[in-house]
Amino acid sequence: MLTLLATLAGALLVPATAAHAAGTTYYVDCSASSNGTGTQASPWNAVGGVNSTTFAAGDSILFKAGTTCTGQLTPGGSGASGSNISISSYGSGAKPVIDAAGATGAVIKLLNQQYWDIGGLELVDNASSPAYRSGVLAENSSGGVLHHIRVHDMYIHNIAGYGGGWYSTNAGVGVQTDHTTPVSTWDDVVVENNTFDHVDRIAVAVTPDGDGQGTGLTTNTVIRNNTMTYDGADDILVVKNDGALIDGNKAGYGGAKSTCPPSGQYCNGASAGIWMSGSSNTVVQNNEVYCHVNGADGTGFDVDWGNHNTTFQYNYSHQNLGGFLLVMPPFTIANEPTSTVPSDGTVVRYNISENDGSNSGCPTSGTQTHGAGVLHFVGGVPNQSGSSSAVPLFYNNTFSVRDGLSTPILYSRSGTSISGALSFQNNAVFNYGSGNYFTTTGTSTYSNNLFYGNHPSREPADAAKVTADPEFRNPGNANTSSSYTGKNAYQVHASSPVIRAGTVISSNGGQDAFGNAVSATAAPNIGAYNGTGGNLLSNAGFESGALSPWTQASGNASSVTAANAHTGSDALTTTAAGSGANQALTGLSPSTTYLLTGWAKVATAGETLAIGVKNFGGTETYTNIATTAYSQAAVLFTTGSSSTTATVYCWKNAGGSGAGYCDDLSVEPLSSATNAVTNPGYETGALTPWAQSTGTASSVVASNARSGSYALQTGVSASGAIQTVSGLTAGSTYLLTGWAKVATAGEEVAVGVKSFGGTETYLRNSTTSYAQQPIFFTTGVSTTSAGVYCYKNSGSAAGYCDDYSLIKLS
């Protein structure tokens, strides 16, 4: 039997189960010319034979592959623990079809029956007008606990239910408890590996038969690895459950229908993808919900009324009209006392939201009636003291909003200032849109978040925030040629500023959205990705607290200290002069360009510390840092034709009196190091194709060059040059480097970039010697050009720029 089920599932490995007691196998072949006795040699040829039989523990009902039976199944009997009754198929070919032909009710219905496995069938119940229809419906009105309903490897489609009607009686799979005294509940409900398409109202619902059921909770519900498309309203719902696991499902294009039953019956036209009500200890993980079009709610996920300790983790949500997550406040439902209880203990971590709040790019779309926000609150923030978390915890999520959208990051239907408080830590917010945030009347916590792109007026204050480009691999999934797609698009490059920039969260779940470990003691990354970005250096942030595998670069020993860190807790500290550390890299590819980045500072202004590379088959190359605050260095190097090694170093130069510090070094390969800037060092002796930034002219001069013979010289004030670089790839991260200095110390000249689909970004230098200004930026989803510039602010003397480079990170 297990072999047969595995074949039906398309080579899916079915977990081993306890041995079943022997039972009778019954056969149904609806293509047979005459009705038989239910044996393989004499099968039933209609569903009537099944409906008139009471089955016993261990029995099997097999439908012939490639056939269609018309009607509804209502088999009798229950299995026993370790000896289920099963419905499946026999023979080769397509799944056997059971077509209810528009009848009201369920295609397969079990009433007060338990220990059933149903798998390997195709169910359909289409009609021109909606009614209460379901694919599989298991009801419990026994007044007790019923056990084990498993529905697996089914294709359930075109179930013409009410889009606004009650859930489990308008479902692909509905498992329902009826109003009874004492309360009826289920234990061990499994819905897995099914495909649902055009099911109204909902693909999977494990609920009571209405509100006001009481306090009884169904236990051990597992809904996993199902695929759902074009559900009329919702995709998955559990109500009055304890410990439900909703894992690995993929649901798209739902929420288009809200047709209600006749007057006086239940009607709710609002819907979301995956949600729960009145439930405890629900875990929602590894799901993908996209393009939900319902205008009233329309979010990918929803923590609704009366929930306790709900965890959303590792999910991928994109292009859902109402946003990523709906958060409901307590409110009053008649005969439902738990609706007035604020949902508490909510944890939202390691999720990725991409362009939620809009259906842009979806094949269908809706019209918002209640607004939209990445995090979409209906009222205030629901808080309740005494729970495991008195306020909702939002940490290590990645929220990406493309240019052209106005979706707020934090939104409430109640306005821009709402009651309650929340905790918002280690989240990466990539906001190229114009959306804002709400504020809370309670004391909310905002710490160690990345806010990149536009910075609206209510962006939260965060003393430890990062504002640099996170260097996602393919934000917005705009680059269709990228090897990083789906949620993998939100992995980062090795040089990303999010790495080790987070704050430690207790009880953090132990892993990120990609399976990387998250330490309980060491600083994590910001965002849903906690890896190294493919960094070829080991102990790159010195967070081991020891030097190894770095080695001393000279007899003047450097050391790893728990002070002066750029991120995390530790950094490399050199002595005053002639001191540093090396790391030997092996296994590099010959004739390949690599990017070395690192952060450095000096204790004494004007002294220099170098980040560089040697022994790679080319000329040693480095960048000096002379600032007392951390500055980033970027060094490109190309291995020789037969070279597979390199030595990376941090080195405090001779002649100093104070220490130097290095942290967060990285090396990663580039697929191409083509410089997109034309005349990058002005070595033509002319400005073209650079253009004047203002009416105050800049010029190319044969002096003050950093390399070669020529450099750009600005006017003394409000003067510079700009080059529009075209042919860039939309939705891709680039590194711009340029070198700048001023004639008069303290005045400023800026290297920057604008008109790339995001917010203008620049770095300023105020020293009289050349310093590098590396800037990472990401093009918008439809932007393939950028304006690169050198600009001198106010002052009394010229500024100089030279040696520009613009390269795409692979």
Side-chain angles (χ1 to χ4, degrees):
M1 186 52 143
L2 289 177
T3 301
L4 176 59
L5 293 176
T7 301
L8 292 169
L12 174 75
L13 295 179
V14 179
T17 60
H20 287 191
T24 302
T25 300
Y26 299 85
Y27 295 87
V28 185
D29 177 3
C30 287
S31 67
S33 59
S34 60
N35 193 35
T37 59
T39 66
Q40 187 168 12
S42 179
W44 292 318
N45 73 347
V47 298
V50 177
N51 295 341
S52 62
T53 302
T54 300
F55 298 94
D59 286 353
S60 298
I61 307 158
L62 303 183
F63 288 80
K64 187 175 182 179
T67 64
T68 297
C69 293
T70 301
Q72 296 167 288
L73 281 184
T74 56
S78 286
S81 179
S83 185
N84 302 320
I85 300 171
S86 63
I87 300 179
S88 189
S89 67
Y90 73 99
S92 59
K95 285 180 170 66
V97 177
I98 302 177
D99 186 350
T104 299
V107 182
I108 301 176
K109 183 172 182 180
L110 303 175
L111 177 62
N112 296 330
Q113 295 163 263
Q114 59 184 338
Y115 297 111
W116 280 79
D117 278 352
I118 302 173
L121 307 178
E122 178 180 343
L123 307 184
V124 61
D125 192 7
N126 206 2
S128 58
S129 299
Y132 278 106
R133 298 183 176 95
S134 296
V136 177
L137 177 61
E139 289 192 77
N140 179 5
S141 60
S142 70
V145 181
L146 294 179
H147 302 273
H148 189 75
I149 296 293
R150 178 176 178 238
V151 182
H152 64 96
D153 302 289
M154 303 279 279
Y155 175 36
I156 301 174
H157 63 102
N158 297 100
I159 305 296
Y162 287 113
W166 188 253
Y167 303 90
S168 48
T169 45
N170 282 278
V173 174
V175 180
Q176 179 168 286
T177 57
D178 295 340
H179 277 65
T180 55
T181 303
V183 175
S184 302
T185 60
W186 288 94
D187 177 70
D188 188 18
V189 175
V190 179
V191 183
E192 59 185 351
N193 305 316
N194 302 287
T195 298
F196 301 90
D197 182 66
H198 286 87
V199 172
D200 303 330
R201 159 178 190 136
I202 185 171
V204 182
V206 182
T207 76
D209 66 348
D211 295 320
Q213 173 92 12
T215 57
L217 299 177
T218 288
T219 54
N220 296 312
T221 294
V222 177
I223 304 169
R224 64 187 168 205
N225 299 335
N226 301 285
T227 300
M228 305 150 184
T229 48
Y230 296 101
D231 291 330
D234 317 89
D235 298 306
I236 297 172
L237 170 64
V238 295
V239 179
K240 297 294 181 65
N241 273 244
D242 186 8
L245 173 65
I246 303 172
D247 186 8
N249 303 283
K250 184 173 183 178
Y253 318 126
K257 296 183 179 180
S258 57
T259 305
C260 287
S263 177
Q265 300 186 44
Y266 179 88
C267 177
N268 183 1
S271 67
I274 297 175
W275 59 291
M276 68 295 305
S277 290
S279 296
S280 297
N281 306 308
T282 310
V283 176
V284 183
Q285 63 182 24
N286 302 310
N287 303 285
E288 179 179 354
V289 182
Y290 58 99
C291 294
H292 201 86
V293 303
N294 182 266
D297 289 344
T299 55
F301 301 84
D302 170 18
V303 54
D304 220 89
W305 50 262
N307 296 290
H308 180 63
N309 290 348
T310 309
T311 300
F312 296 88
Q313 58 187 11
Y314 319 133
N315 300 293
Y316 176 36
S317 172
H318 56 104
Q319 299 157 281
N320 294 298
L321 184 64
F324 156 48
L325 177 67
L326 188 75
V327 181
M328 288 289 292
F331 62 104
T332 300
I333 300 175
N335 303 313
E336 186 54 77
T338 56
S339 69
T340 63
V341 177
S343 290
D344 67 337
T346 304
V347 177
V348 183
R349 62 190 182 192
Y350 310 113
N351 302 285
I352 295 167
S353 167
E354 174 186 281
N355 298 330
D356 281 323
S358 168
N359 290 148
S360 177
C362 299
T364 57
S365 62
T367 301
Q368 295 168 356
T369 58
H370 292 308
V374 175
L375 297 176
H376 183 153
F377 287 70
V378 172
V381 182
N383 302 315
Q384 181 170 325
S385 61
S387 69
S388 59
S389 173
V391 301
L393 304 180
F394 299 89
Y395 63 86
N396 285 103
N397 302 285
T398 294
F399 305 126
S400 178
V401 179
R402 68 163 177 80
D403 42 315
L405 298 183
S406 59
T407 310
I409 307 302
L410 293 176
Y411 164 79
S412 175
R413 300 179 191 178
S414 294
T416 59
S417 177
I418 63 173
S419 62
L422 53 81
S423 176
F424 195 86
Q425 297 180 288
N426 297 348
N427 298 293
V429 181
F430 184 102
N431 185 15
Y432 273 12
S434 59
N436 217 313
Y437 299 76
F438 60 60
T439 60
T440 60
T441 58
T443 302
S444 292
T445 299
Y446 298 96
S447 176
N448 294 79
N449 300 288
L450 176 136
F451 297 109
Y452 174 70
N454 291 323
H455 299 281
S457 58
R458 292 188 301 275
E459 182 176 281
D462 180 348
K465 70 180 176 182
V466 174
T467 58
D469 192 322
E471 300 174 37
F472 293 135
R473 292 284 183 172
N474 183 20
N477 279 278
N479 182 3
T480 57
S481 64
S482 174
S483 59
Y484 291 86
T485 59
K487 73 177 188 179
N488 290 322
Y490 295 93
Q491 296 184 40
V492 301
H493 288 275
S495 51
S496 171
V498 306
I499 295 175
R500 293 179 295 275
T503 186
V504 174
I505 304 289
S506 62
S507 303
N508 60 26
Q511 70 174 36
D512 72 355
F514 305 90
N516 298 302
V518 181
S519 171
T521 56
N525 293 356
I526 295 172
Y529 173 73
N530 200 59
T532 65
N535 193 350
L536 300 179
L537 292 170
S538 300
N539 195 20
F542 306 98
E543 292 303 300
S544 71
L547 192 61
S548 180
W550 298 86
T551 59
Q552 298 293 343
S554 74
N556 295 325
S558 56
S559 61
V560 175
T561 57
N564 288 289
H566 174 249
T567 65
S569 302
D570 298 275
L572 178 75
T573 301
T574 73
T575 61
S579 173
N582 296 335
Q583 184 172 151
L585 290 177
T586 60
L588 304 183
S589 299
S591 303
T592 300
T593 299
Y594 291 83
L595 171 63
L596 162 65
T597 63
W599 293 82
K601 67 177 182 176
V602 291
T604 304
E607 296 181 5
T608 58
L609 182 144
I611 289 176
V613 60
K614 60 184 180 180
N615 304 329
F616 57 89
T619 303
E620 178 178 354
T621 184
Y622 58 87
T623 294
N624 281 324
I625 300 292
T627 56
T628 55
Y630 268 112
S631 297
Q632 191 176 26
V635 176
L636 293 174
F637 67 97
T638 301
T639 51
S641 60
S642 60
S643 296
T644 59
T645 62
T647 301
V648 171
Y649 60 81
C650 166
W651 175 254
K652 181 67 164 56
N653 294 308
S657 60
Y661 307 95
C662 284
D663 203 3
D664 297 332
L665 287 89
S666 71
V667 173
E668 67 172 300
L670 300 176
S671 58
S672 172
T674 301
N675 187 357
V677 177
T678 303
N679 194 18
Y682 310 99
E683 292 305 303
T684 64
L687 192 61
T688 305
W690 298 83
Q692 301 291 345
S693 294
T694 67
T696 304
S698 56
S699 59
V700 175
V701 295
S703 62
N704 287 285
R706 175 186 170 265
S707 67
S709 302
Y710 295 91
L712 178 75
Q713 178 179 290
T714 72
V716 299
S717 181
S719 174
I722 186 168
Q723 182 178 150
T724 299
V725 182
S726 58
L728 305 183
T729 303
S732 296
T733 300
Y734 285 82
L735 169 62
L736 167 67
T737 59
W739 295 78
K741 70 175 184 176
V742 291
T744 301
E747 296 183 2
E748 294 179 334
V749 62
V751 169
V753 60
K754 62 181 182 179
S755 305
F756 57 87
T759 304
E760 179 177 355
T761 304
Y762 54 86
L763 291 173
R764 296 168 175 168
N765 184 39
S766 59
T767 66
T768 56
S769 59
Y770 271 111
Q772 185 191 64
Q773 308 294 298
I775 297 170
F776 292 89
F777 69 95
T778 298
T779 50
V781 295
S782 58
T783 306
T784 57
S785 61
V788 173
Y789 63 82
C790 167
Y791 189 77
K792 177 67 166 54
N793 296 307
S794 60
S796 59
Y800 300 91
C801 290
D802 202 2
D803 296 336
Y804 276 74
S805 175
L806 180 62
I807 59 169
K808 180 176 177 289
L809 302 191
S810 55

